Amino acid sequence: MLVLGIETSCDETSVAVLDEEGRVRSNIVSSQLAAHAPYGGVVPEIAARAHLENLPVAFEQALFEAGIEVSEIDLVAVTAGPGLIGALLVGLSAGKALAFARGVPLVPVNHLEGHLFSAFLRARGEAALPVERPFHGLVVSGGHAELVRVEEGRIVPLARTRDDAPGEAFDKIARRAGLGYPGGPVVDRIAARGNGSRYPLPVGRPGDGSNDFSFSGLKTAMLRELQKHRVNGGRPGGFGGPQGPPDTLIDPESLEPDVVDLLASFQRAIVTALLDRVETVHREQRMRSLAVSGGVAANSELRRTLLEWGAARGVPVLLPEQAFTTDNAAMIAFAGLLRYRENGAQDPSAATARSRWPLGS
Ligand code: KG4
Ligand code: ZN
């Protein structure tokens, strides 16, 4: 059985081919970073148009690399949400058309569910690791921070962000510091040469006793600190939205040592907040294993910290291989395959794109 995965929810156009053992036969990711970078964030209209241009090429390439013909596809898995509606519609329409034309089943996939299972995928032609439920999942990306328990037949949400996502916080702060977009990778590199315990920054919890995340207080505190250090890159007026003239970028090497420490402390605050919630949930319900995923799962300090935590608590921590941290269609194909085994397929004509689609609903 061969699954074709399609992902177009945000700024990567991706098509993948996966076999029934979760072996990735091809995973083509066409990034639109260059198109959005001048604006310091994703511009929805540019994203939708770029998907339309890139998808046919990514599709051809994915089949070519997997060494298969269209007629060999047995199942189509496509991201139906959450994401930018215009962007989602490009992939979903293509997936529906293909399923309809070839007479094969279609599975609409929740993008977050894709991330959730991405930690089980292996690169280099190996089969996916066995998915043993229950397990806990932490999805941390540019749009989401979600902690869930994955049980047989259902996903139970335990905590999510009340405001910004961690990746969004990285992106906004990096932009204000004149470091460009996306912010996570560049802050990660800078933080490696800084002192992360130098500046105490708030690691907020909403005051209602829930385990939810909140990163807006940290962002505000960071903006104040950056101002104090007279760092004000990006567009004059700061980050109001992606529309507008391009940013002016600064060289990360030219940052003052104090600012390097400040950025390291900012990264430490995000990692501490995530670890704190993981520890609380573990104390409440004893995790059997933790699968971490999403773009922020590429962060070196987060990976190291969670692995150390897992070793100390005896909880296996699964991290996605780098290729599967950011948005990709292999994870969509895999989540689609698991869903298909559980629930079967859906009538292709009934699948709709959803800009909002919380995990577990
Ligand atoms: O999962 P993803 O590709 O897209 C969403 O679904 O949001 O995640 C992208 C996010 C961006 O905010 C980016 O800054 C962040 O992941 N990111 C990182 C790192 N690499 C990417 N954040 C922290 N450290 C990194 N090394
Ligand atoms: Zn994502």
Side-chain angles (χ1 to χ4, degrees):
M1 177 171 193
L2 290 176
V3 188
L4 184 90
I6 304 175
E7 156 64 37
T8 65
S9 68
C10 191
D11 59 346
E12 329 277 353
T13 314
S14 182
V15 181
V17 175
L18 193 90
D19 72 14
E20 74 271 10
E21 287 173 349
R23 193 174 283 109
V24 181
R25 296 270 299 259
S26 66
N27 183 40
I28 306 299
V29 182
S30 163
S31 173
Q32 305 174 6
L33 266 187
H36 299 287
Y39 305 97
V42 178
V43 185
E45 185 59 29
I46 293 180
R49 288 183 200 197
H51 285 308
L52 212 48
E53 277 170 26
N54 297 343
L55 191 59
V57 186
F59 175 70
E60 289 297 332
Q61 237 179 314
L63 294 189
F64 178 77
E65 266 194 27
I68 66 160
E69 303 284 335
V70 185
S71 56
E72 293 174 73
I73 298 167
D74 302 296
L75 178 69
V76 178
V78 54
T79 307
L84 303 170
I85 203 79
L88 287 166
L89 280 169
V90 176
L92 186 60
S93 310
K96 277 181 173 183
L98 184 67
F100 187 71
R102 301 295 326 161
V104 297
L106 176 92
V107 184
V109 175
N110 182 314
H111 179 82
L112 297 171
E113 203 169 302
H115 277 301
L116 197 53
F117 293 102
S118 64
F120 296 87
L121 290 176
R122 297 296 91 183
R124 297 172 298 278
E126 293 164 49
L129 300 174
V131 176
E132 283 166 16
R133 301 174 176 92
F135 70 91
H136 283 77
L138 175 69
V139 184
V140 276
S141 72
H144 302 273
E146 308 259 350
L147 190 52
V148 299
R149 190 174 64 251
V150 182
E151 297 175 356
E152 217 58 67
R154 68 172 191 155
I155 296 171
V156 185
L158 303 170
R160 59 170 52 112
T161 182
R162 292 283 178 91
D163 35 62
D164 289 350
E168 193 179 358
F170 273 109
D171 294 339
K172 286 179 174 173
I173 292 306
R175 185 173 194 202
R176 175 58 70 90
L179 296 167
Y181 173 84
V186 58
V187 173
D188 193 349
R189 280 196 299 278
I190 294 166
R193 57 187 160 97
N195 173 2
S197 37
R198 168 104 180 268
Y199 295 91
L201 291 162
V203 281
R205 251 179 192 274
D208 57 7
S210 88
N211 284 330
D212 282 349
F213 303 102
S214 166
F215 294 100
S216 70
L218 170 64
K219 186 186 67 187
T220 311
M222 255 316 269
L223 290 176
R224 217 179 300 120
E225 287 293 334
L226 285 175
Q227 221 160 22
K228 258 197 251 166
H229 289 82
R230 282 185 289 284
V231 178
N232 193 3
R235 244 174 334 115
F239 47 82
Q243 268 79 15
D247 293 340
T248 355
L249 295 187
I250 62 156
D251 175 9
E253 296 302 318
S254 71
L255 290 173
E256 300 282 331
D258 284 356
V259 178
V260 171
D261 288 348
L262 184 57
L263 289 168
S265 304
F266 166 68
Q267 177 174 289
R268 177 71 50 84
I270 290 183
V271 170
T272 306
L274 296 173
L275 184 70
D276 173 81
R277 247 35 65 84
V278 165
E279 169 68 11
T280 308
V281 167
H282 176 61
R283 264 195 254 124
E284 287 169 5
Q285 32 182 269
R286 293 275 140 214
M287 296 184 179
R288 281 195 25 207
S289 63
L290 174 68
V292 189
S293 58
V296 180
N299 186 268
S300 44
E301 186 172 352
L302 181 65
R303 293 173 84 95
R304 194 172 57 243
T305 307
L306 287 175
L307 284 176
E308 283 167 8
W309 174 86
R313 295 285 181 282
V315 178
V317 173
L318 262 83
L319 295 168
E321 303 212 16
Q322 288 289 347
F324 305 126
T325 54
T326 48
D327 293 348
N328 65 87
M331 70 183 193
I332 301 303
F334 189 48
L337 176 66
L338 297 174
R339 271 275 165 198
Y340 180 68
R341 285 191 183 138
E342 227 173 303
N343 306 337
Q346 200 184 317
D347 170 11
S349 60
T352 49
R354 302 167 66 173
S355 59
R356 272 183 46 78
W357 185 0
L359 265 178
S361 67

